[in-house]
Amino acid sequence: GAVVSQHPSWVICKSGTSVKIECRSLDFQATTMFWYRQFPKQSLMLMATSNEGSKATYEQGVEKDKFLINHASLTLSTLTVTSAHPEDSSFYICSARPTTSDYEQYFGPGTRLTVT
Amino acid sequence: GQNIDQPTEMTATEGAIVQINCTYQTSGFNGLFWYQQHAGEAPTFLSYNVLDGLEEKGRFSSFLSRSKGYSYLLLKELQMKDSASYLCAVMDSNYQLIWGAGTKLIIKP
């Protein structure tokens, strides 16, 4: 149980285009989902917290207009990287917190984005 | 500010025991997590401590002292597949995870 999927697992896009990453909780409902990015040999950096049916809360320094987050249902959150640039190339990981828990988080397998 | 400290890298021998330490200073405390992350993969949950003491789970154990702001992850009977990064994370008063930078564990035959 407690499986989270991400799609796509990897994507290559051209500079200036937009990319959408999906995060789904497959066997549980998640009011809250988290989006992280991770650069090589560095720890996870929380980008934003998304709550179903409301606006995401972005961490300081994360551009909300560039990283659009939508959490339209209890099992799906999407992150859209708009007008991507090479410096956006990174490993993007989502996690989901079950509605039944205050502390559990289950991670998706991650999406590797390369912007050329 | 909030801070999680753990060693950057450790090396151990297959079959041996290794202890990875984590110290923290956070605004509030709602538990401490240990995650394992293999290169290129997402973290996987190892343990959760919210009360002082030792939690044992097979070859892995995790210890917490809230008064000292200190935890350790103990790995016994090390296997080559245990080579990974080990992330310490503390849940603060807002139920947000504050992450350490991770400890890269290298296992040698």
Side-chain angles (χ1 to χ4, degrees), chain A residues 34 36 38 42-44 46 49 59 91 93 97 102-105 107-110 112, chain B residues 30 33 35 37 40-45 48 87 91 95-97 99-102 104:
Chain A
F34 304 88
Y36 296 86
Q38 186 176 35
Q42 294 186 25
S43 191
L44 300 171
L46 180 65
T49 302
E59 295 300 302
F91 191 45
I93 308 172
R97 174 170 291 156
D102 285 333
Y103 68 88
E104 292 173 76
Q105 277 189 40
F107 285 85
R112 186 158 303 282
Chain B
N30 277 303
F33 296 78
Y35 284 86
Q37 186 178 26
E41 298 180 13
T44 54
F45 171 81
Y48 170 65
L87 307 176
M91 184 161 283
Y95 291 96
Q96 283 215 357
L97 280 178
W99 293 87
K104 183 179 180 181

mmCIF file of all heavy atoms in Angstrom, chain A residues 34 36 38 42-44 46 49 59 91 93 97 102-105 107-110 112, chain B residues 30 33 35 37 40-45 48 87 91 95-97 99-102 104:
data_model
loop_
_atom_site.group_PDB
_atom_site.id
_atom_site.type_symbol
_atom_site.label_atom_id
_atom_site.label_comp_id
_atom_site.label_asym_id
_atom_site.label_seq_id
_atom_site.Cartn_x
_atom_site.Cartn_y
_atom_site.Cartn_z
ATOM 1 N N PHE A 34 3.540 17.330 -1.612
ATOM 2 C CA PHE A 34 4.725 18.177 -1.550
ATOM 3 C C PHE A 34 5.540 18.004 -2.822
ATOM 4 O O PHE A 34 5.659 16.909 -3.349
ATOM 5 C CB PHE A 34 5.592 17.788 -0.346
ATOM 6 C CG PHE A 34 4.874 17.831 0.968
ATOM 7 C CD1 PHE A 34 4.182 16.723 1.430
ATOM 8 C CD2 PHE A 34 4.899 18.977 1.750
ATOM 9 C CE1 PHE A 34 3.514 16.752 2.645
ATOM 10 C CE2 PHE A 34 4.241 19.015 2.970
ATOM 11 C CZ PHE A 34 3.543 17.901 3.416
ATOM 12 N N TYR A 36 9.375 18.627 -4.361
ATOM 13 C CA TYR A 36 10.775 18.873 -4.036
ATOM 14 C C TYR A 36 11.586 18.896 -5.331
ATOM 15 O O TYR A 36 11.206 18.314 -6.334
ATOM 16 C CB TYR A 36 11.342 17.735 -3.171
ATOM 17 C CG TYR A 36 10.731 17.566 -1.806
ATOM 18 C CD1 TYR A 36 9.588 16.796 -1.616
ATOM 19 C CD2 TYR A 36 11.332 18.150 -0.685
ATOM 20 C CE1 TYR A 36 9.040 16.619 -0.353
ATOM 21 C CE2 TYR A 36 10.797 17.969 0.579
ATOM 22 C CZ TYR A 36 9.655 17.199 0.735
ATOM 23 O OH TYR A 36 9.129 17.020 1.995
ATOM 24 N N GLN A 38 15.846 18.338 -6.397
ATOM 25 C CA GLN A 38 17.117 17.883 -5.846
ATOM 26 C C GLN A 38 18.185 17.981 -6.920
ATOM 27 O O GLN A 38 18.061 17.378 -7.988
ATOM 28 C CB GLN A 38 17.009 16.447 -5.336
ATOM 29 C CG GLN A 38 18.255 15.949 -4.612
ATOM 30 C CD GLN A 38 18.065 14.555 -4.047
ATOM 31 O OE1 GLN A 38 17.394 13.726 -4.641
ATOM 32 N NE2 GLN A 38 18.663 14.286 -2.893
ATOM 33 N N GLN A 42 23.073 16.861 -3.599
ATOM 34 C CA GLN A 42 22.488 17.747 -2.613
ATOM 35 C C GLN A 42 21.214 17.130 -2.046
ATOM 36 O O GLN A 42 20.653 16.196 -2.614
ATOM 37 C CB GLN A 42 22.170 19.114 -3.230
ATOM 38 C CG GLN A 42 23.396 19.880 -3.655
ATOM 39 C CD GLN A 42 23.063 21.281 -4.121
ATOM 40 O OE1 GLN A 42 22.051 21.847 -3.730
ATOM 41 N NE2 GLN A 42 23.917 21.841 -4.959
ATOM 42 N N SER A 43 20.770 17.672 -0.924
ATOM 43 C CA SER A 43 19.571 17.119 -0.313
ATOM 44 C C SER A 43 18.320 17.662 -0.989
ATOM 45 O O SER A 43 18.383 18.508 -1.884
ATOM 46 C CB SER A 43 19.552 17.446 1.178
ATOM 47 O OG SER A 43 18.526 16.701 1.824
ATOM 48 N N LEU A 44 17.204 17.166 -0.548
ATOM 49 C CA LEU A 44 15.927 17.613 -1.093
ATOM 50 C C LEU A 44 15.657 19.056 -0.712
ATOM 51 O O LEU A 44 15.931 19.471 0.410
ATOM 52 C CB LEU A 44 14.798 16.748 -0.539
ATOM 53 C CG LEU A 44 14.863 15.254 -0.827
ATOM 54 C CD1 LEU A 44 13.804 14.533 -0.030
ATOM 55 C CD2 LEU A 44 14.676 15.015 -2.314
ATOM 56 N N LEU A 46 12.466 21.584 -0.532
ATOM 57 C CA LEU A 46 11.024 21.730 -0.674
ATOM 58 C C LEU A 46 10.714 22.959 -1.509
ATOM 59 O O LEU A 46 11.193 24.062 -1.222
ATOM 60 C CB LEU A 46 10.362 21.851 0.706
ATOM 61 C CG LEU A 46 8.847 22.020 0.718
ATOM 62 C CD1 LEU A 46 8.166 20.756 0.167
ATOM 63 C CD2 LEU A 46 8.340 22.311 2.127
ATOM 64 N N THR A 49 4.091 23.314 -1.038
ATOM 65 C CA THR A 49 3.131 22.392 -0.434
ATOM 66 C C THR A 49 1.787 22.645 -1.083
ATOM 67 O O THR A 49 1.320 23.801 -1.128
ATOM 68 C CB THR A 49 3.027 22.633 1.076
ATOM 69 O OG1 THR A 49 4.327 22.480 1.664
ATOM 70 C CG2 THR A 49 2.042 21.667 1.718
ATOM 71 N N GLU A 59 7.697 27.914 -1.101
ATOM 72 C CA GLU A 59 8.814 28.261 -0.235
ATOM 73 C C GLU A 59 9.483 29.522 -0.753
ATOM 74 O O GLU A 59 9.377 29.880 -1.935
ATOM 75 C CB GLU A 59 9.823 27.114 -0.169
ATOM 76 C CG GLU A 59 9.265 25.859 0.469
ATOM 77 C CD GLU A 59 8.804 26.072 1.889
ATOM 78 O OE1 GLU A 59 9.638 26.493 2.730
ATOM 79 O OE2 GLU A 59 7.611 25.834 2.166
ATOM 80 N N PHE A 91 16.150 16.986 -10.600
ATOM 81 C CA PHE A 91 15.356 15.818 -10.243
ATOM 82 C C PHE A 91 14.189 16.343 -9.403
ATOM 83 O O PHE A 91 14.399 16.936 -8.347
ATOM 84 C CB PHE A 91 16.236 14.845 -9.457
ATOM 85 C CG PHE A 91 15.663 13.485 -9.231
ATOM 86 C CD1 PHE A 91 15.047 12.786 -10.261
ATOM 87 C CD2 PHE A 91 15.760 12.869 -7.993
ATOM 88 C CE1 PHE A 91 14.536 11.504 -10.062
ATOM 89 C CE2 PHE A 91 15.249 11.588 -7.778
ATOM 90 C CZ PHE A 91 14.642 10.915 -8.815
ATOM 91 N N ILE A 93 10.832 15.594 -7.270
ATOM 92 C CA ILE A 93 10.211 14.496 -6.525
ATOM 93 C C ILE A 93 8.970 15.017 -5.814
ATOM 94 O O ILE A 93 8.998 16.090 -5.207
ATOM 95 C CB ILE A 93 11.170 13.922 -5.464
ATOM 96 C CG1 ILE A 93 12.521 13.556 -6.089
ATOM 97 C CG2 ILE A 93 10.568 12.709 -4.775
ATOM 98 C CD1 ILE A 93 13.575 13.175 -5.059
ATOM 99 N N ARG A 97 0.856 12.971 1.490
ATOM 100 C CA ARG A 97 0.517 12.652 2.880
ATOM 101 C C ARG A 97 -0.913 12.134 2.929
ATOM 102 O O ARG A 97 -1.846 12.829 2.493
ATOM 103 C CB ARG A 97 0.652 13.893 3.761
ATOM 104 C CG ARG A 97 0.177 13.669 5.210
ATOM 105 C CD ARG A 97 0.560 14.835 6.099
ATOM 106 N NE ARG A 97 2.008 14.881 6.278
ATOM 107 C CZ ARG A 97 2.675 15.993 6.590
ATOM 108 N NH1 ARG A 97 2.032 17.126 6.770
ATOM 109 N NH2 ARG A 97 3.975 15.954 6.715
ATOM 110 N N ASP A 102 -0.973 12.759 10.178
ATOM 111 C CA ASP A 102 -0.395 14.099 10.313
ATOM 112 C C ASP A 102 1.072 14.124 9.900
ATOM 113 O O ASP A 102 1.634 15.201 9.712
ATOM 114 C CB ASP A 102 -0.464 14.563 11.769
ATOM 115 C CG ASP A 102 -1.865 14.964 12.186
ATOM 116 O OD1 ASP A 102 -2.639 15.370 11.289
ATOM 117 O OD2 ASP A 102 -2.174 14.873 13.382
ATOM 118 N N TYR A 103 1.694 12.956 9.798
ATOM 119 C CA TYR A 103 3.149 12.991 9.619
ATOM 120 C C TYR A 103 3.678 12.109 8.501
ATOM 121 O O TYR A 103 4.780 12.302 8.026
ATOM 122 C CB TYR A 103 3.836 12.600 10.927
ATOM 123 C CG TYR A 103 3.638 11.163 11.336
ATOM 124 C CD1 TYR A 103 4.504 10.164 10.899
ATOM 125 C CD2 TYR A 103 2.576 10.791 12.153
ATOM 126 C CE1 TYR A 103 4.326 8.850 11.265
ATOM 127 C CE2 TYR A 103 2.390 9.473 12.517
ATOM 128 C CZ TYR A 103 3.260 8.499 12.080
ATOM 129 O OH TYR A 103 3.073 7.209 12.440
ATOM 130 N N GLU A 104 2.927 11.126 8.061
ATOM 131 C CA GLU A 104 3.476 10.237 7.040
ATOM 132 C C GLU A 104 3.619 10.941 5.695
ATOM 133 O O GLU A 104 2.814 11.808 5.340
ATOM 134 C CB GLU A 104 2.570 9.017 6.866
ATOM 135 C CG GLU A 104 2.539 8.088 8.062
ATOM 136 C CD GLU A 104 1.501 7.003 7.895
ATOM 137 O OE1 GLU A 104 1.766 6.066 7.122
ATOM 138 O OE2 GLU A 104 0.429 7.106 8.521
ATOM 139 N N GLN A 105 4.636 10.581 4.965
ATOM 140 C CA GLN A 105 4.823 11.060 3.601
ATOM 141 C C GLN A 105 5.347 9.902 2.776
ATOM 142 O O GLN A 105 6.269 9.215 3.193
ATOM 143 C CB GLN A 105 5.858 12.198 3.532
ATOM 144 C CG GLN A 105 5.328 13.564 3.848
ATOM 145 C CD GLN A 105 6.353 14.647 3.539
ATOM 146 O OE1 GLN A 105 7.043 14.576 2.533
ATOM 147 N NE2 GLN A 105 6.441 15.640 4.378
ATOM 148 N N PHE A 107 6.880 8.956 -0.993
ATOM 149 C CA PHE A 107 7.509 9.627 -2.112
ATOM 150 C C PHE A 107 7.219 8.922 -3.437
ATOM 151 O O PHE A 107 7.155 7.692 -3.508
ATOM 152 C CB PHE A 107 9.023 9.689 -1.915
ATOM 153 C CG PHE A 107 9.438 10.721 -0.904
ATOM 154 C CD1 PHE A 107 9.448 10.430 0.445
ATOM 155 C CD2 PHE A 107 9.787 12.001 -1.308
ATOM 156 C CE1 PHE A 107 9.810 11.389 1.379
ATOM 157 C CE2 PHE A 107 10.149 12.963 -0.385
ATOM 158 C CZ PHE A 107 10.158 12.661 0.963
ATOM 159 N N GLY A 108 7.084 9.732 -4.470
ATOM 160 C CA GLY A 108 7.056 9.203 -5.827
ATOM 161 C C GLY A 108 8.466 8.869 -6.262
ATOM 162 O O GLY A 108 9.436 9.220 -5.585
ATOM 163 N N PRO A 109 8.617 8.219 -7.409
ATOM 164 C CA PRO A 109 9.938 7.792 -7.886
ATOM 165 C C PRO A 109 10.775 8.923 -8.474
ATOM 166 O O PRO A 109 11.953 8.725 -8.752
ATOM 167 C CB PRO A 109 9.603 6.755 -8.956
ATOM 168 C CG PRO A 109 8.247 7.137 -9.431
ATOM 169 C CD PRO A 109 7.534 7.728 -8.255
ATOM 170 N N GLY A 110 10.193 10.095 -8.638
ATOM 171 C CA GLY A 110 10.955 11.227 -9.163
ATOM 172 C C GLY A 110 10.861 11.366 -10.666
ATOM 173 O O GLY A 110 10.582 10.406 -11.395
ATOM 174 N N ARG A 112 13.174 13.143 -13.759
ATOM 175 C CA ARG A 112 14.413 13.832 -14.128
ATOM 176 C C ARG A 112 14.137 14.714 -15.336
ATOM 177 O O ARG A 112 13.773 14.219 -16.402
ATOM 178 C CB ARG A 112 15.523 12.837 -14.441
ATOM 179 C CG ARG A 112 16.856 13.529 -14.691
ATOM 180 C CD ARG A 112 18.052 12.632 -14.485
ATOM 181 N NE ARG A 112 18.122 12.042 -13.164
ATOM 182 C CZ ARG A 112 18.533 12.692 -12.070
ATOM 183 N NH1 ARG A 112 18.886 13.954 -12.130
ATOM 184 N NH2 ARG A 112 18.592 12.070 -10.915
ATOM 185 N N ASN B 30 7.920 17.477 15.840
ATOM 186 C CA ASN B 30 6.834 16.503 15.708
ATOM 187 C C ASN B 30 7.360 15.186 15.167
ATOM 188 O O ASN B 30 6.643 14.464 14.479
ATOM 189 C CB ASN B 30 5.727 17.056 14.811
ATOM 190 C CG ASN B 30 4.778 17.962 15.570
ATOM 191 O OD1 ASN B 30 4.180 17.573 16.567
ATOM 192 N ND2 ASN B 30 4.645 19.187 15.101
ATOM 193 N N PHE B 33 12.671 11.633 11.169
ATOM 194 C CA PHE B 33 12.597 10.572 10.169
ATOM 195 C C PHE B 33 13.994 10.265 9.643
ATOM 196 O O PHE B 33 14.847 11.134 9.536
ATOM 197 C CB PHE B 33 11.759 11.039 8.973
ATOM 198 C CG PHE B 33 10.326 11.312 9.291
ATOM 199 C CD1 PHE B 33 9.945 12.484 9.921
ATOM 200 C CD2 PHE B 33 9.344 10.404 8.927
ATOM 201 C CE1 PHE B 33 8.613 12.747 10.197
ATOM 202 C CE2 PHE B 33 8.001 10.663 9.196
ATOM 203 C CZ PHE B 33 7.647 11.838 9.832
ATOM 204 N N TYR B 35 15.487 8.454 6.106
ATOM 205 C CA TYR B 35 15.173 7.935 4.778
ATOM 206 C C TYR B 35 16.459 7.428 4.140
ATOM 207 O O TYR B 35 17.545 7.949 4.380
ATOM 208 C CB TYR B 35 14.594 9.027 3.883
ATOM 209 C CG TYR B 35 13.155 9.392 4.167
ATOM 210 C CD1 TYR B 35 12.836 10.329 5.139
ATOM 211 C CD2 TYR B 35 12.118 8.802 3.448
ATOM 212 C CE1 TYR B 35 11.519 10.672 5.390
ATOM 213 C CE2 TYR B 35 10.792 9.140 3.690
ATOM 214 C CZ TYR B 35 10.503 10.074 4.665
ATOM 215 O OH TYR B 35 9.196 10.409 4.910
ATOM 216 N N GLN B 37 18.224 6.860 0.385
ATOM 217 C CA GLN B 37 18.092 7.262 -1.011
ATOM 218 C C GLN B 37 19.255 6.725 -1.828
ATOM 219 O O GLN B 37 20.399 7.112 -1.610
ATOM 220 C CB GLN B 37 18.007 8.785 -1.139
ATOM 221 C CG GLN B 37 17.714 9.243 -2.565
ATOM 222 C CD GLN B 37 17.588 10.749 -2.699
ATOM 223 O OE1 GLN B 37 18.147 11.511 -1.926
ATOM 224 N NE2 GLN B 37 16.826 11.193 -3.695
ATOM 225 N N GLY B 40 19.861 8.561 -7.938
ATOM 226 C CA GLY B 40 18.898 8.628 -9.022
ATOM 227 C C GLY B 40 17.509 8.154 -8.665
ATOM 228 O O GLY B 40 16.647 8.053 -9.549
ATOM 229 N N GLU B 41 17.300 7.837 -7.393
ATOM 230 C CA GLU B 41 15.985 7.360 -6.972
ATOM 231 C C GLU B 41 15.418 8.269 -5.884
ATOM 232 O O GLU B 41 16.127 9.062 -5.276
ATOM 233 C CB GLU B 41 16.082 5.926 -6.450
ATOM 234 C CG GLU B 41 16.569 4.930 -7.500
ATOM 235 C CD GLU B 41 16.661 3.518 -6.964
ATOM 236 O OE1 GLU B 41 16.127 3.252 -5.861
ATOM 237 O OE2 GLU B 41 17.270 2.665 -7.636
ATOM 238 N N ALA B 42 14.131 8.144 -5.638
ATOM 239 C CA ALA B 42 13.495 8.915 -4.577
ATOM 240 C C ALA B 42 13.792 8.277 -3.213
ATOM 241 O O ALA B 42 14.153 7.107 -3.132
ATOM 242 C CB ALA B 42 11.992 8.973 -4.810
ATOM 243 N N PRO B 43 13.668 9.043 -2.152
ATOM 244 C CA PRO B 43 13.904 8.496 -0.812
ATOM 245 C C PRO B 43 12.880 7.440 -0.433
ATOM 246 O O PRO B 43 11.719 7.513 -0.833
ATOM 247 C CB PRO B 43 13.758 9.718 0.109
ATOM 248 C CG PRO B 43 13.874 10.903 -0.777
ATOM 249 C CD PRO B 43 13.347 10.478 -2.106
ATOM 250 N N THR B 44 13.323 6.475 0.354
ATOM 251 C CA THR B 44 12.397 5.495 0.908
ATOM 252 C C THR B 44 12.457 5.568 2.428
ATOM 253 O O THR B 44 13.534 5.748 3.013
ATOM 254 C CB THR B 44 12.720 4.066 0.451
ATOM 255 O OG1 THR B 44 14.085 3.776 0.765
ATOM 256 C CG2 THR B 44 12.508 3.901 -1.033
ATOM 257 N N PHE B 45 11.309 5.437 3.054
ATOM 258 C CA PHE B 45 11.185 5.589 4.496
ATOM 259 C C PHE B 45 11.876 4.457 5.237
ATOM 260 O O PHE B 45 11.729 3.288 4.886
ATOM 261 C CB PHE B 45 9.691 5.607 4.846
ATOM 262 C CG PHE B 45 9.386 5.545 6.311
ATOM 263 C CD1 PHE B 45 9.456 6.689 7.083
ATOM 264 C CD2 PHE B 45 9.021 4.353 6.909
ATOM 265 C CE1 PHE B 45 9.163 6.639 8.443
ATOM 266 C CE2 PHE B 45 8.726 4.286 8.262
ATOM 267 C CZ PHE B 45 8.793 5.429 9.033
ATOM 268 N N TYR B 48 10.782 6.314 12.002
ATOM 269 C CA TYR B 48 10.177 7.526 12.560
ATOM 270 C C TYR B 48 10.258 7.437 14.069
ATOM 271 O O TYR B 48 9.814 6.452 14.667
ATOM 272 C CB TYR B 48 8.711 7.617 12.121
ATOM 273 C CG TYR B 48 7.901 8.688 12.803
ATOM 274 C CD1 TYR B 48 8.188 10.030 12.616
ATOM 275 C CD2 TYR B 48 6.821 8.356 13.620
ATOM 276 C CE1 TYR B 48 7.426 11.016 13.227
ATOM 277 C CE2 TYR B 48 6.053 9.333 14.230
ATOM 278 C CZ TYR B 48 6.355 10.664 14.034
ATOM 279 O OH TYR B 48 5.589 11.634 14.636
ATOM 280 N N LEU B 87 19.196 10.165 4.776
ATOM 281 C CA LEU B 87 18.701 11.506 5.040
ATOM 282 C C LEU B 87 17.983 11.549 6.380
ATOM 283 O O LEU B 87 17.099 10.734 6.649
ATOM 284 C CB LEU B 87 17.730 11.939 3.934
ATOM 285 C CG LEU B 87 18.227 11.822 2.500
ATOM 286 C CD1 LEU B 87 17.114 12.196 1.524
ATOM 287 C CD2 LEU B 87 19.420 12.720 2.269
ATOM 288 N N MET B 91 10.360 16.913 11.587
ATOM 289 C CA MET B 91 9.080 17.566 11.325
ATOM 290 C C MET B 91 8.892 18.673 12.355
ATOM 291 O O MET B 91 8.922 18.423 13.569
ATOM 292 C CB MET B 91 7.954 16.556 11.406
ATOM 293 C CG MET B 91 6.594 17.131 11.047
ATOM 294 S SD MET B 91 5.423 15.846 10.631
ATOM 295 C CE MET B 91 5.941 15.408 9.000
ATOM 296 N N TYR B 95 4.331 20.850 10.952
ATOM 297 C CA TYR B 95 4.278 19.538 10.289
ATOM 298 C C TYR B 95 4.998 19.549 8.945
ATOM 299 O O TYR B 95 4.656 18.786 8.052
ATOM 300 C CB TYR B 95 2.831 19.053 10.138
ATOM 301 C CG TYR B 95 2.207 18.695 11.467
ATOM 302 C CD1 TYR B 95 1.417 19.611 12.146
ATOM 303 C CD2 TYR B 95 2.431 17.449 12.046
ATOM 304 C CE1 TYR B 95 0.864 19.294 13.374
ATOM 305 C CE2 TYR B 95 1.878 17.117 13.273
ATOM 306 C CZ TYR B 95 1.096 18.048 13.936
ATOM 307 O OH TYR B 95 0.539 17.730 15.147
ATOM 308 N N GLN B 96 5.983 20.419 8.817
ATOM 309 C CA GLN B 96 6.822 20.421 7.620
ATOM 310 C C GLN B 96 8.135 19.731 7.920
ATOM 311 O O GLN B 96 8.679 19.835 9.025
ATOM 312 C CB GLN B 96 7.103 21.866 7.183
ATOM 313 C CG GLN B 96 5.961 22.515 6.478
ATOM 314 C CD GLN B 96 6.429 23.463 5.390
ATOM 315 O OE1 GLN B 96 7.612 23.676 5.207
ATOM 316 N NE2 GLN B 96 5.498 24.043 4.662
ATOM 317 N N LEU B 97 8.633 19.001 6.922
ATOM 318 C CA LEU B 97 9.899 18.298 7.102
ATOM 319 C C LEU B 97 11.067 19.236 6.803
ATOM 320 O O LEU B 97 11.113 19.877 5.763
ATOM 321 C CB LEU B 97 9.975 17.089 6.179
ATOM 322 C CG LEU B 97 9.234 15.825 6.636
ATOM 323 C CD1 LEU B 97 9.377 14.731 5.591
ATOM 324 C CD2 LEU B 97 9.767 15.341 7.969
ATOM 325 N N TRP B 99 14.976 19.039 6.136
ATOM 326 C CA TRP B 99 15.872 17.974 5.699
ATOM 327 C C TRP B 99 17.333 18.283 5.989
ATOM 328 O O TRP B 99 17.783 19.413 5.802
ATOM 329 C CB TRP B 99 15.724 17.745 4.195
ATOM 330 C CG TRP B 99 14.400 17.202 3.811
ATOM 331 C CD1 TRP B 99 13.269 17.912 3.533
ATOM 332 C CD2 TRP B 99 14.052 15.823 3.672
ATOM 333 N NE1 TRP B 99 12.239 17.050 3.232
ATOM 334 C CE2 TRP B 99 12.692 15.773 3.296
ATOM 335 C CE3 TRP B 99 14.761 14.622 3.805
ATOM 336 C CZ2 TRP B 99 12.023 14.564 3.078
ATOM 337 C CZ3 TRP B 99 14.103 13.418 3.584
ATOM 338 C CH2 TRP B 99 12.745 13.404 3.215
ATOM 339 N N GLY B 100 18.063 17.263 6.406
ATOM 340 C CA GLY B 100 19.504 17.348 6.429
ATOM 341 C C GLY B 100 20.044 17.149 5.021
ATOM 342 O O GLY B 100 19.307 16.769 4.108
ATOM 343 N N ALA B 101 21.337 17.400 4.855
ATOM 344 C CA ALA B 101 21.951 17.290 3.534
ATOM 345 C C ALA B 101 22.229 15.847 3.136
ATOM 346 O O ALA B 101 22.572 15.579 1.992
ATOM 347 C CB ALA B 101 23.240 18.106 3.493
ATOM 348 N N GLY B 102 22.087 14.930 4.103
ATOM 349 C CA GLY B 102 22.299 13.521 3.783
ATOM 350 C C GLY B 102 23.716 13.068 4.060
ATOM 351 O O GLY B 102 24.659 13.851 3.987
ATOM 352 N N LYS B 104 26.348 10.222 2.766
ATOM 353 C CA LYS B 104 26.636 9.199 1.770
ATOM 354 C C LYS B 104 27.411 8.077 2.437
ATOM 355 O O LYS B 104 28.505 8.297 2.979
ATOM 356 C CB LYS B 104 27.448 9.787 0.621
ATOM 357 C CG LYS B 104 27.732 8.785 -0.486
ATOM 358 C CD LYS B 104 28.514 9.422 -1.624
ATOM 359 C CE LYS B 104 28.796 8.412 -2.717
ATOM 360 N NZ LYS B 104 29.577 9.016 -3.830
#
